[in-house]
Amino acid sequence: MKKALGISLLFMALTAVGQTAENDTIKHWKIGGTPSFTFNQVSLTNWAAGGKNSVAGTFLLNSYFNYSKNKIKWDNTIDMGYGLTKQGTDNMVKTEDKLYLTSKLGYQADGSKWYYTALMDFKTQFDVGYSDPPENTTKLSEFMAPAYLNLSLGMDYKPNDNFSVYLSPLTSKMTVVLDDSLSNAGAFGVKEGENLRSEFGASAKLLAKKANIVKNVDVSTRLDLFSNLKRPQNIDVDWELAFNMKVNSFLSAVATFNLIYDDDIKYVNAAKEEEGPRVQFKQLFGFGISYKFGQ
């Protein structure tokens, strides 16, 4: 039910953007993105060296819907991914799971590259995650548990479409945990039994991308920072770096690196004991089908 609701909301958002584009002059819109699918499979029969059969696949989509007219700029991005792997008779394990939506509306300050800006960030995942794969007995996360919604006002320095630095002294960060078992355990910083935690503070966001940094290699990066007013020294960090290496029009290699530090996310060790926050790191590399569209 929750997955269906998430897909419905995403479809409604895409439809709304499409309808707005039809109602306005299409020349003010830039729409594009890069969907990709990677797949690998290993099959062993009487293999003397040993091993397990395995199959894995990952879907990624990074797309944008940007509007620009006179002094107004409205940038929207959808970054999503989902991947699964299975070895032998083990349970299926997810290897990638993210849904990240951003909408940034800016009004240009007179004669400058700065914009008065309102920003909305939303992050969650699609599926259940477990702390003990492949046994999959201890739930760690699921759709809207957690979800993060950031609303902020600030200034955005945007000299061109490939670089921006956004600074906000007024940021509201909401952590949502809709799963009862996780909220009752006080996961992700919410109080036990509650589904919402609100924080107020300051934030910053850096976005940069470069096509053909070397031949047929595009690179992009995103850095999100948030500081709670009550504990300004504990800065939440979410940094992502992505490379898209083009082989031809349909084949490419994708490499992504993601580093996260959140003081409210506690590390659970192998003995299922909760420890303090840790730096989280994820690396993904895949070769498969990819297609770049748009301007």
Side-chain angles (χ1 to χ4, degrees):
M1 182 68 180
K2 292 179 180 178
K3 294 181 190 177
L5 177 60
I7 294 171
S8 298
L9 290 172
L10 179 59
F11 178 77
M12 290 170 63
L14 292 171
T15 302
V17 170
Q19 289 175 344
T20 305
E22 291 176 358
N23 294 335
D24 205 342
T25 307
I26 195 65
K27 69 179 182 180
H28 298 301
W29 285 90
K30 287 185 178 181
I31 300 174
T34 306
S36 63
F37 178 74
T38 62
F39 176 82
N40 63 72
Q41 182 261 344
V42 175
S43 179
L44 305 174
T45 303
N46 301 323
W47 193 250
K52 286 185 178 181
N53 296 340
S54 67
V55 60
T58 302
F59 172 77
L60 300 171
L61 172 65
N62 190 297
S63 60
Y64 58 87
F65 307 81
N66 297 339
Y67 177 84
S68 179
K69 184 178 181 181
N70 299 326
K71 292 187 175 185
I72 296 175
K73 282 189 179 292
W74 183 26
D75 296 341
N76 305 277
T77 61
I78 299 176
D79 185 8
M80 65 173 69
Y82 189 73
L84 292 170
T85 185
K86 181 176 176 62
Q87 290 190 334
T89 59
D90 291 346
N91 292 322
M92 198 82 73
V93 176
K94 69 176 183 179
T95 54
E96 175 67 290
D97 189 6
K98 64 177 179 179
L99 173 60
Y100 181 33
L101 311 177
T102 302
S103 186
K104 182 171 65 173
L105 179 63
Y107 184 83
Q108 186 179 22
D110 289 340
S112 75
K113 297 176 181 179
W114 288 89
Y115 290 78
Y116 304 105
T117 300
L119 176 68
M120 183 280 292
D121 272 341
F122 175 78
K123 303 175 187 177
T124 188
Q125 57 282 313
F126 291 101
D127 204 358
V128 178
Y130 298 93
S131 62
D132 60 340
E135 287 77 13
N136 294 354
T137 60
T138 305
K139 183 189 294 185
L140 193 63
S141 64
E142 68 165 283
F143 179 70
M144 296 298 291
Y148 301 99
L149 177 63
N150 286 12
L151 303 173
S152 61
L153 296 173
M155 295 292 293
D156 188 30
Y157 176 70
K158 190 176 177 70
N160 53 59
D161 290 338
N162 297 321
F163 181 83
S164 75
V165 176
Y166 172 72
L167 304 173
S168 170
L170 299 171
T171 301
S172 169
K173 177 182 178 181
M174 287 165 276
T175 302
V176 181
V177 181
L178 294 187
D179 179 84
D180 290 339
S181 63
L182 293 173
S183 66
N184 289 337
F188 305 103
V190 301
K191 292 182 179 179
E192 294 183 6
E194 296 188 2
N195 301 112
L196 178 67
R197 178 173 187 254
S198 296
E199 301 174 78
F200 298 94
S203 65
K205 176 188 286 288
L206 182 146
L207 298 170
K209 60 182 179 179
K210 174 68 174 177
N212 290 314
I213 191 168
V214 295
K215 187 177 180 180
N216 294 329
V217 177
D218 298 344
V219 62
S220 62
T221 189
R222 170 183 59 83
L223 174 64
D224 292 342
L225 304 173
F226 173 77
S227 175
N228 188 325
L229 285 177
K230 294 182 179 179
R231 294 176 297 169
Q233 72 279 10
N234 295 339
I235 299 175
D236 296 340
V237 179
D238 186 349
W239 175 59
E240 188 171 72
L241 178 66
F243 296 90
N244 193 301
M245 294 155 276
K246 182 178 179 181
V247 178
N248 57 37
S249 298
F250 296 99
L251 296 177
S252 71
V254 177
T256 65
F257 306 87
N258 193 194
L259 182 149
I260 293 176
Y261 178 82
D262 189 328
D263 193 58
D264 299 313
I265 299 178
K266 308 305 179 184
Y267 173 73
V268 179
N269 61 28
K272 299 182 181 179
E273 297 172 339
E274 188 178 273
E275 299 181 3
R278 299 282 184 90
V279 173
Q280 307 169 54
F281 184 76
K282 179 177 68 177
Q283 178 269 326
L284 181 149
F285 179 80
F287 178 84
I289 300 172
S290 177
Y291 180 73
K292 184 177 182 179
F293 67 94
Q295 303 171 351

